[in-house]
Amino acid sequence: MKSYYIFITVFLLTFSVAKYSFTQNLKISGKVYDSESKSPLEGVLVTLDGEYRTTSTNALGEYLFINLFLGDYKIRIESIGYKKEILNVTLKEGESSNPLTYLEGDPLNISQIDVSSTKDYGMINVSSLDIKLRPTSTAQDFLKLVPGLFIAQHAGGGKAEQIFLRGFDIDHGTDINIMVDGIPVNMVSHAHGQGYADLHFVIPETIDKFSVYKGPYYSKFGDLGTSGSVNFSTLNSIQKSTAELDIGKYNTYRGVLILDILSKNGLIKTEKTENLYIASEYAYSDGYFEVKQDYNRFNIFGKYYGLLSKNTIFTMSASAFQSKWNASGQVPQRAVDNNVITRFGSIDATEGGNTNRANINISLTNSFKNNQTMTNQIFYTNYGFNLYSNFTFFLNDSINGDQINQFENRNFFGYNGSFSFLNNSGSVNFNTTLGIGARFDNIDSIFLSHTKDRNFLNYIEAGKIFQQDIFTYINETIEVNDLVINPGLRVDYFNFNLTDDLNDSLSGNKSAVKIAPKLNLFYNISPKTQVYVKSGIGFHSNDARVAVNEPDQQTLPSAYGVETGTSFSAGNALIGFSLWSLFLESELVYVGDEAVVEPSGKTQRMGIDFTGRYQFNKWLWADLDLNYAKGRFVDEAAGEDYIPLAPVFTSVGGVTFKFLNGINGRLGYRYIDDRPANEFNSVTAKGYFVMDALLNYTTGNYNIGLTFNNLLNNVTWNEAQFDTESRLINDTDPVSELHFTPGTPFYVKLTTSLFF
C-alpha cells in the first residue's frame, strides 16, 4: 500500500511541473480587497466561466489565469459573507487584464453557497459558516464548532480541556493537531500528557476564522494530526475598539479591552494599508464547587499587519498569558452514594495549579509574477506548567495520600516556509505547494513529584528533554475540468534527547523518520454537489521518555485513514455526509495514577458523519451534526476490546436567529451517548443532554447579551468521567469504579460591550 501511494504521488508530481508550449500567452491577473478595510482578501473563489478554470486568492488577494486566447471572458468572484461580483473582461491582441475588485459584506444566504467554493480541498466548508451562526464567548467554544468534537474540563478551569473526536478520547491533544496563526498549540513530551493543547492563551474576540481538516489526509499537517487538525487565524484588523464586561453566577466576571491603535480610523491614523491593535482579557471565577476555584486568567495580545509593498505583507504578533486555579478533582461515585461528599465536593481540596505562555510570531509573505507566493514564518514560545493532581487518593500511600505535582518549563521555536506556484495546460490547472519547517523544544526542567497539600515529599521522575522535528512536504492539486486530484507527500525527521537527573542509565538519544503519503480525489458534479475519496497516512509521536527507554515501542506509530463522502447544497439546505475508517498501529493511553503515557495496542475505528444546515428565511437558521463511531482494539478478544471513553454517538444542533433590528441569539443542545469506560465495558461513562441559549441586542455602538448554560438545569450530568482504581481514607480495599467531574449547573451571564 505504501508503494502504491509513493508511485502515484511521484508520477503526478512529476507530471504537474512539466513545461508546456502555447500559441497564446495572454493572462488575467487580478486582486480582491475588502471594501471597508481595503485589506487583501485571501481564499476568495474566482471562476473563469465556460473555461472549467477556478482558483482562489492568495494572502495578497491575488489570482491569476494564464495561457488565455483573445476574446471575452466572464469572471465570478465569491466568498461567504460577501456579495458576489461578476466581471466582464475582454482580452485583445498583445494585452492582458489586471482588474481590481472590492467585495462588500452581505448577509449570510445558504442558497448562494457553492460546496466547491474552497480551493483548500478537504477543509470543512461549514466552519466559516458556523462562526457566523453560532455565538461564541471563549476560545474553547470554537473547538465545539467542529462537527463531532466534544470537550470536557476536569481540573478547575485552568487545565486544558479533554477532547473527544471520531471515536477518540484524545486526552488533551494526543490525536489532534491544533495551531494558531501557524504556531503549534500542542506540547510534545509534556509533563501531563502527550500533545497537551491549552487554548486559554487565545482571546476569543481576536479569532477571525478557523479551518477544520478531519483525518490524516493533508500533507501540511504532521505530528498528532490523526483524527484531524484545526488551524485558527486571528484578526488582521478590527473594525472598532471594544470594551466588554461579563458578570455571571458563582462570582464570575470577565473584562476585555481591544484598542484600534493604528489604522485609517485608529488612535493613530495612517493612509497606508496597515493595522495595529492590542487586546487584553482578565477573567475570574469562584466556580460552582464547594471549594472556591479562585480561577484567575490574564491575557494580552498585540498584532501588526502591514502591506509593505504591493507584493509584500508583513505580520508580527506577541502575546502573554498566565493563569492559576484551585481544583476539586475527580469525584468517586461511592463517596457521593455514601454521603461522604456531595457531587460538588472534593476528596483532596488542594489540587490545582498555574500555567503561563508567551509567544512571538513573525511572518513575511511575498508574491511574484504568475501568482507565485512565498511565505516565511518564525515563532518563539516560552511556556510554564505546574499542576497538582490526586487521582487515586490513598491507593499508593495510605498516610500522605497520592497527590502528585507535574512541572515543566520549556522554550520552543520554529520555522514554517512554503512556496506555491501555478501551471496550466489547456483546461488542466496545476497548483503546487512546497513546504519546509522545523520545531525545536528545549524542556530544561520536567519532573513528577509526590506531594501532600502541595508540599514536596519526593521526586518520582526528573530530567530534561530536547526534541526536534524537521520536516518537508509537497502538495499538488491537479484540476481536470470538474475532477480534482490531490496527491501529497510529507517527510518528518525526529530526534529525542533525554537527560534523566535521577537515573543516568535512562538518559539517551533516539532518532526516527516518518514518510507519510496522501492521495485525495474530488469530483464536482456541479457547483452545488461534490463527491470525494480521501486517503492518507498520519502519525502521532511518542513521548520522548517512551521513545528513548522503550525500544520495543514504535516511536512514530502510523495512522492509516480512508474516507468517502459527499457535500451538496439544495435550495436553502447545506448537507455533508461521510463514511470513514482509521487504523492506528499503536494507541497512546494516559495512566492517571502514575501520570505517564503508555503505548497500547492496535486499534480500528469506523464511523459516519452527517452535517446539515438549513436557512428558513433571512433571519432564522438551523444546524444539526450527527456522528457515529465504532472503535475496537484489534488484537484483543471480543468483549475485552473496547477503547475506553471512545465516544460512540454524539449530536449537536440548534437554531440561530438574527433580526434586522439587532436582536440575535441561539438555542442549542449537546448530546453524547453512554460509552465504555474500560476495555471490558463493565463501567459506563454516562451520556448527557445539555441545552444552552444566548440572547443579544446588538447595535453599531453597543451590545447587551444574556448567556444561559445548562438551560434545563440537568443536575446530574457528568462532564469528565474515568474508570479509576482508588482508595479512600476509610476503605479497606481499593475500588475500581466511575470517577467524574460534575457538569456545570444552571448558569447565567450578562454581557455588555461598547464599540468605539
Side-chain angles (χ1 to χ4, degrees), residues 77-387:
I77 302 175
E78 50 194 327
S79 182
I80 294 175
Y82 290 92
K83 292 181 180 179
K84 182 188 300 184
E85 290 285 340
I86 297 179
L87 306 181
N88 293 305
V89 176
T90 299
L91 294 181
K92 299 179 180 180
E93 184 73 36
E95 295 182 2
S96 294
S97 180
N98 306 99
L100 299 180
T101 305
Y102 292 87
L103 294 185
E104 296 182 2
D106 191 39
L108 184 64
N109 192 332
I110 287 180
S111 64
Q112 295 180 357
I113 295 176
D114 292 345
V115 298
S116 58
S117 62
T118 174
K119 303 306 292 177
D120 199 351
Y121 287 100
M123 182 184 72
I124 294 178
N125 272 335
V126 295
S127 60
S128 57
L129 174 64
D130 282 341
I131 288 179
K132 298 178 182 298
L133 293 186
R134 299 191 193 183
T136 53
S137 58
T138 64
Q140 51 265 38
D141 283 341
F142 282 86
L143 281 179
K144 291 190 289 187
L145 297 184
V146 179
L149 190 150
F150 275 61
I151 61 175
Q153 176 58 254
H154 57 259
K159 187 178 176 183
E161 281 72 23
Q162 187 180 8
I163 302 172
F164 303 91
L165 178 67
R166 286 206 157 181
F168 279 88
D169 168 18
I170 297 176
D171 193 36
H172 300 285
T174 305
D175 286 283
I176 187 168
N177 183 311
I178 303 177
M179 295 188 297
V180 176
D181 288 336
I183 302 178
V185 176
N186 303 81
M187 298 291 174
V188 292
S189 300
H190 189 266
H192 181 70
Q194 175 67 340
Y196 187 88
D198 185 354
L199 270 169
H200 291 103
F201 72 93
V202 180
I203 301 174
E205 286 80 3
T206 64
I207 296 176
D208 179 27
K209 57 187 177 181
F210 70 99
S211 304
V212 180
Y213 304 79
K214 286 188 177 181
Y217 314 123
Y218 314 101
S219 58
K220 61 182 175 181
F221 301 111
D223 192 14
L224 310 175
T226 50
S227 73
S229 301
V230 182
N231 187 21
F232 289 90
S233 299
T234 58
L235 290 162
N236 290 326
S237 62
I238 59 174
Q239 293 184 356
K240 291 185 177 181
S241 297
T242 301
E244 178 181 321
L245 177 63
D246 302 345
I247 301 175
K249 287 183 66 177
Y250 314 115
N251 196 27
T252 299
Y253 52 88
R254 174 175 175 264
V256 176
L257 180 63
I258 305 176
L259 295 177
D260 184 4
I261 303 298
L262 177 66
S263 70
K264 289 180 172 61
N265 300 309
L267 297 176
I268 302 174
K269 293 179 172 54
T270 177
E271 293 304 316
K272 298 179 180 179
T273 304
E274 59 180 344
N275 299 276
L276 170 65
Y277 68 90
I278 296 176
S280 60
E281 174 194 38
Y282 176 75
Y284 177 87
S285 180
D286 285 339
Y288 53 87
F289 293 88
E290 293 174 5
V291 176
K292 290 183 178 181
Q293 289 184 346
D294 192 24
Y295 173 52
N296 286 265
R297 183 178 78 245
F298 175 75
N299 277 316
I300 187 167
F301 173 78
K303 185 174 183 179
Y304 173 83
Y305 170 90
L307 197 63
L308 300 186
S309 71
K310 65 178 183 179
N311 297 319
T312 304
I313 292 177
F314 175 76
T315 303
M316 179 176 181
S317 65
S319 65
F321 153 78
Q322 62 180 16
S323 177
K324 65 176 182 177
W325 67 95
N326 298 320
S328 293
Q330 297 160 23
V331 177
Q333 185 66 54
R334 65 188 183 280
V336 177
D337 295 341
N338 297 330
N339 296 318
V340 175
I341 59 173
T342 70
R343 283 177 53 83
F344 303 103
S346 59
I347 301 299
D348 185 344
T350 62
E351 296 188 48
N354 58 274
T355 186
N356 61 271
R357 177 169 179 156
N359 306 292
I360 297 175
N361 190 20
I362 300 173
S363 67
L364 191 68
T365 301
N366 297 95
S367 175
F368 307 100
K369 64 178 182 178
N370 295 332
N371 209 222
Q372 298 173 351
T373 306
M374 176 180 289
T375 298
N376 291 280
Q377 176 198 14
I378 56 173
F379 57 84
Y380 164 78
T381 294
N382 173 263
Y383 173 79
F385 177 83
N386 185 34
L387 180 68

Side-chain angles (χ1 to χ4, degrees), residues 467-657:
Q467 184 166 327
Q468 305 174 57
D469 176 11
I470 302 172
F471 61 86
T472 185
Y473 67 87
I474 183 169
N475 184 76
E476 182 69 49
T477 301
I478 306 169
E479 299 176 349
V480 186
N481 296 336
D482 291 317
L483 174 65
V484 178
I485 306 169
N486 175 217
L489 183 67
R490 182 183 177 98
V491 180
D492 285 75
Y493 166 80
F494 281 81
N495 180 263
F496 306 87
N497 191 293
L498 172 65
T499 300
D500 193 302
D501 292 339
L502 302 182
N503 185 349
D504 190 59
S505 65
L506 297 178
S507 300
N509 184 82
K510 186 174 183 179
S511 298
V513 175
K514 174 60 66 176
I515 300 174
K518 328 281 183 176
L519 179 60
N520 307 314
L521 302 174
F522 303 86
Y523 184 71
N524 296 319
I525 297 175
S526 73
K528 302 290 185 181
T529 305
Q530 183 183 85
V531 294
Y532 58 83
V533 177
K534 297 185 283 189
S535 62
I537 298 175
F539 67 97
H540 57 206
S541 63
N542 255 321
D543 186 287
R545 290 158 289 190
V546 176
V548 172
N549 291 313
E550 298 188 29
D552 294 336
Q553 299 293 341
Q554 291 182 302
T555 303
L556 305 173
S558 295
Y560 299 88
V562 63
E563 181 171 347
T564 184
T566 181
S567 56
F568 61 91
S569 58
N572 294 327
L574 185 64
I575 304 296
F577 178 83
S578 66
L579 300 171
W580 57 269
S581 176
L582 188 65
F583 172 81
L584 261 70
E585 290 183 331
S586 176
E587 196 87 5
L588 299 184
V589 179
Y590 179 74
V591 183
D593 56 344
E594 299 178 16
V596 296
V597 176
E598 290 185 350
S600 189
K602 300 175 182 177
T603 56
Q604 176 71 57
R605 292 172 171 84
M606 294 179 288
I608 302 172
D609 290 349
F610 171 86
T611 296
R613 304 290 182 266
Y614 188 81
Q615 184 171 0
F616 294 96
N617 50 46
K618 292 183 179 180
W619 55 267
L620 184 63
W621 300 265
D623 57 86
L624 176 66
D625 297 326
L626 303 171
N627 304 92
Y628 172 80
K630 179 181 179 181
R632 294 290 187 270
F633 283 104
V634 173
D635 297 327
E636 303 298 330
E640 301 177 2
D641 57 349
Y642 293 92
I643 303 175
L645 300 179
V648 179
F649 177 74
T650 64
S651 179
V652 174
V655 291
T656 302
F657 56 91

Side-chain angles (χ1 to χ4, degrees), residues 188-193 385 405-410 443-449 459 461-466 498-502 543-545:
V188 292
S189 300
H190 189 266
H192 181 70
F385 177 83
N405 175 214
Q406 295 163 308
F407 174 92
E408 74 163 65
N409 184 64
R410 81 167 71 198
I443 311 172
D444 55 27
S445 179
I446 181 169
F447 64 73
L448 169 67
S449 61
Y459 283 114
E461 181 182 86
K464 304 176 184 64
I465 296 173
F466 184 73
L498 172 65
T499 300
D500 193 302
D501 292 339
L502 302 182
D543 186 287
R545 290 158 289 190

